[in-house]
Amino acid sequence: MAAMNAAALAEENRTLKATLAQREARIERLEFDLAQLKKLLFGARSERLATLPDIDQLPLWDEVPEDAPVASPVAFKTVVVQSPAKNQPKRTALPAHLPREIVVLPLSAQDRQCPACGEERPVIGYESSERLDYVPAQLKVVETRREKCACAKCQGQLTTVPAPPQIIEQGIPLPGLLAHLLMAKYGYHLPLYRIEQIFAHQGVPIARTTLCDWVIQSGWQLQPLVERMLALLKQQPVIFSDDTTVAVQDRGKTRETRFWVYAGHSPPIVVYDHTETRAGKHPKAKLEGYSGYLQADAYAGYDQIFAAGKVLEVACWAHARRKFFEIARQTENGKRISAHEALEYIGRLYAIEREAKEQQLDAEGTRKLRQEQARPILAEFKAWLEDRLRQLAPKTPTAQAIGYALKNWPALERYTEDGRLEIDNNRSERAIRPLTIGRKNWLFLGSPKGGQVAATVFSLIQTCKELDLNPEAYLKDVLTRLPTTKQREIDSLLPHNWKPANV
């Protein structure tokens, strides 16, 4: 009887311990989710930890069971990053290409008189200083007069100079106005109602619906350029991709759609796409026929592209790091947990990338450096992750972060295979940022067809920025030349080939 009671008590004890462990894991998850929500509302966006705690600090009690063996301290290579010395502020010379207006301040007759002998002193030079002024943008009317002639003897024989082709036939805007409109909306993220107000303040009222029509028509005319850019992008060995949400107003209701970005770096090309959903069929259709590396986050929609084996997945260490960082930043009292140790491993990988940049290594040199230094760290890190995962409750945030890294491990370490690959997907995330800034200003797209127009213009503007070109000057020149450019010559108008017409 006593033995049965002891067995029952032991079983009850095990049940209670299991229940307690489950509840503690649930509490930890809920506390983490609450901290994440507070961060979204009030927190900073920087992914930097001020100071990591001491390496010898034991893991927190709520991450490791009481009966788990204590892991020996992990030896880490200390990486000291020297912050660049702050230069003293210096006034740089004003650009030489700016027009200059010379203002001469003459000496008075009294000042020119020599105080010693009373003779008039000649001017021997000037004390010069340059300052910057601003001339407001100005609308102007361009009147085109086409000569016509007629024979005085032969009535009806009339000849007129043909009208030059325009992007918008029978419309009043010239390429300079259209380029300014596109840049204001998609480059500086001004909603059309604000642009309407700016024109009205200059005494030229233009209805918002008219501005919208000009944007749509210009975007459709520019579409062949972006289609050609995509074809050239798919010839590159590496493509970076990401996506984000954007609201669209459709039949009086607002719904969520997606913007995708596809970027390359040889030459720099950025192509956007707008789709109704986030289904994997969209990137698969966009990258049809491509073979090479695709660097993206671990979104399952890309799996359709990787299934055939022609496209190899390259994962993003910034995404993997972010999951550990979010845990580490919520730690109170500076206690060290597993997330801090994971961040140090990842920091060592990024230190190798900095070394490759500092040495200005080419693709082959970068590959060799990664093979020699990063591969051993990756092997050590993977073993550490697997060992630590066995010690954690299954659904704690740290266990989920480790699970994410291990699940995507082959794609995470693939960047070491080729020096043209990058350790993270920040290139496409930087390309996504203008969209996230824009949607805070214009809130939603006015119509579904406006989404693809926006994608077209964003593609050209962002590619110009990557090439350090003036996007507005580029758009004005291209919109001027596009109506008379033959299809076989369209490559000359692409951003990486573009030369102004007057050069």
Side-chain angles (χ1 to χ4, degrees), residues 160-210:
T160 306
V161 176
Q166 299 291 332
I167 285 292
I168 300 179
E169 296 291 346
Q170 308 302 322
I172 65 171
L174 286 173
L177 178 56
L178 294 174
H180 178 72
L181 176 61
L182 295 177
M183 190 62 190
K185 180 171 175 58
Y186 299 111
Y188 302 124
H189 317 297
L190 294 180
L192 286 179
Y193 82 88
R194 295 184 193 169
I195 302 175
E196 180 185 22
Q197 292 174 349
I198 293 172
F199 287 155
H201 291 161
Q202 299 186 45
V204 185
I206 303 176
R208 198 180 317 170
T209 53
T210 302

Side-chain angles (χ1 to χ4, degrees), residues 79-98:
V79 179
V80 179
V81 180
Q82 295 289 346
S83 59
K86 294 184 178 179
N87 296 326
Q88 294 296 327
K90 296 180 181 178
R91 178 177 294 180
T92 57
L94 296 177
H97 69 272
L98 294 178

Side-chain angles (χ1 to χ4, degrees), residues 109-110 112-121:
Q110 182 180 356
R112 294 187 65 172
Q113 186 177 11
C114 179
C117 65
E119 293 290 328
E120 182 177 348
R121 295 178 293 182

Side-chain angles (χ1 to χ4, degrees), residues 315-332:
C316 172
W317 271 106
H319 278 78
R321 179 189 182 277
R322 192 168 298 140
K323 295 182 181 299
F324 291 108
F325 172 82
E326 296 299 342
I327 300 167
R329 72 177 298 165
Q330 309 303 337
T331 306
E332 298 179 357

Side-chain angles (χ1 to χ4, degrees), residues 264-452:
H265 55 60
S266 54
I269 294 176
V270 183
V271 174
Y272 296 87
D273 187 30
H274 177 255
T275 62
E276 297 292 320
T277 67
R278 204 192 183 196
K281 64 181 180 180
H282 299 303
K284 180 183 179 183
K286 205 68 175 176
L287 298 179
E288 185 69 32
Y290 173 67
S291 61
Y293 293 101
L294 176 62
Q295 188 147 15
D297 58 21
Y299 171 51
Y302 291 109
D303 292 347
Q304 299 182 34
I305 302 175
F306 304 133
K310 294 183 178 179
V311 181
L312 298 178
E313 180 183 9
V314 185
C316 172
W317 271 106
H319 278 78
R321 179 189 182 277
R322 192 168 298 140
K323 295 182 181 299
F324 291 108
F325 172 82
E326 296 299 342
I327 300 167
R329 72 177 298 165
Q330 309 303 337
T331 306
E332 298 179 357
N333 302 323
K335 293 182 179 179
R336 172 173 295 279
I337 57 175
S338 301
H340 288 106
E341 300 179 28
L343 289 176
E344 293 196 21
Y345 272 114
I346 298 172
R348 293 164 64 189
L349 296 175
Y350 272 89
I352 296 170
E353 299 304 303
R354 286 193 296 271
E355 182 180 344
K357 284 187 177 181
E358 290 170 359
Q359 296 183 17
Q360 299 181 345
L361 300 179
D362 59 9
E364 180 59 22
T366 301
R367 186 193 69 82
K368 289 181 178 179
L369 183 66
R370 289 170 176 172
Q371 291 288 323
E372 294 171 1
Q373 297 188 22
R375 295 293 297 183
I377 296 174
L378 286 166
E380 181 184 348
F381 188 24
K382 183 181 181 184
W384 180 88
L385 289 170
E386 292 171 340
D387 178 68
R388 193 52 53 96
L389 183 62
R390 289 190 289 267
Q391 303 175 28
L392 300 176
K395 294 186 178 180
T396 58
T398 305
Q400 292 177 338
I402 292 176
Y404 173 90
L406 291 176
K407 178 182 177 182
N408 297 285
W409 194 259
L412 281 171
E413 64 178 1
R414 182 160 284 133
Y415 82 98
T416 62
E417 297 177 2
D418 194 318
R420 295 170 297 183
L421 300 174
E422 297 180 10
I423 192 172
D424 53 39
N425 196 31
N426 286 348
R427 181 179 293 271
S428 63
E429 291 194 5
R430 288 192 299 270
I432 279 290
R433 192 169 295 123
L435 297 175
T436 61
I437 295 173
R439 70 188 178 199
K440 291 180 181 178
N441 288 270
W442 32 259
L443 301 180
F444 53 82
L445 297 170
S447 65
K449 67 178 181 180
Q452 195 53 48

Side-chain angles (χ1 to χ4, degrees), residues 43-315:
R45 296 295 189 268
S46 174
E47 294 185 8
R48 181 186 298 274
L49 289 176
T51 305
L52 290 179
D54 189 350
I55 191 65
D56 294 328
Q57 173 69 39
L58 293 177
L60 291 179
W61 64 272
D62 58 349
E63 285 198 355
V64 183
E66 292 181 359
D67 56 349
V70 178
S72 58
V74 181
F76 289 102
K77 175 184 177 182
T78 301
V79 179
V80 179
V81 180
Q82 295 289 346
S83 59
K86 294 184 178 179
N87 296 326
Q88 294 296 327
K90 296 180 181 178
R91 178 177 294 180
T92 57
L94 296 177
H97 69 272
L98 294 178
R100 276 166 165 73
E101 176 184 342
I102 298 176
V103 178
V104 179
L105 301 179
L107 290 165
S108 66
Q110 182 180 356
D111 289 336
R112 294 187 65 172
Q113 186 177 11
C114 179
C117 65
E119 293 290 328
E120 182 177 348
R121 295 178 293 182
V123 176
I124 60 172
Y126 298 92
E127 290 287 340
S128 298
S129 61
E130 290 188 338
R131 290 177 174 82
L132 199 61
D133 200 0
Y134 176 74
V135 179
Q138 182 180 4
L139 292 168
K140 68 176 181 179
V141 176
V142 178
E143 180 183 355
T144 303
R145 297 183 177 183
R146 295 179 290 128
E147 289 186 344
K148 60 181 180 181
C149 62
C151 181
K153 296 181 179 180
C154 307
Q155 295 183 358
Q157 298 298 318
L158 182 67
T159 303
T160 306
V161 176
Q166 299 291 332
I167 285 292
I168 300 179
E169 296 291 346
Q170 308 302 322
I172 65 171
L174 286 173
L177 178 56
L178 294 174
H180 178 72
L181 176 61
L182 295 177
M183 190 62 190
K185 180 171 175 58
Y186 299 111
Y188 302 124
H189 317 297
L190 294 180
L192 286 179
Y193 82 88
R194 295 184 193 169
I195 302 175
E196 180 185 22
Q197 292 174 349
I198 293 172
F199 287 155
H201 291 161
Q202 299 186 45
V204 185
I206 303 176
R208 198 180 317 170
T209 53
T210 302
L211 296 176
C212 183
D213 289 341
W214 291 353
V215 169
I216 295 293
Q217 292 185 60
S218 300
W220 287 128
Q221 296 288 344
L222 292 168
Q223 182 63 31
L225 295 176
V226 179
E227 292 175 355
R228 179 58 180 157
M229 286 166 58
L230 178 63
L232 294 176
L233 178 63
K234 291 196 289 186
Q235 297 176 13
Q236 296 193 14
V238 187
I239 293 179
F240 304 82
S241 181
D242 200 359
D243 69 291
T244 190
T245 59
V246 62
V248 169
Q249 195 175 58
D250 187 14
R251 293 187 291 272
K253 295 183 179 180
T254 302
R255 54 187 175 84
E256 184 179 274
T257 58
R258 310 296 297 193
F259 262 122
W260 305 77
V261 63
Y262 306 94
H265 55 60
S266 54
I269 294 176
V270 183
V271 174
Y272 296 87
D273 187 30
H274 177 255
T275 62
E276 297 292 320
T277 67
R278 204 192 183 196
K281 64 181 180 180
H282 299 303
K284 180 183 179 183
K286 205 68 175 176
L287 298 179
E288 185 69 32
Y290 173 67
S291 61
Y293 293 101
L294 176 62
Q295 188 147 15
D297 58 21
Y299 171 51
Y302 291 109
D303 292 347
Q304 299 182 34
I305 302 175
F306 304 133
K310 294 183 178 179
V311 181
L312 298 178
E313 180 183 9
V314 185

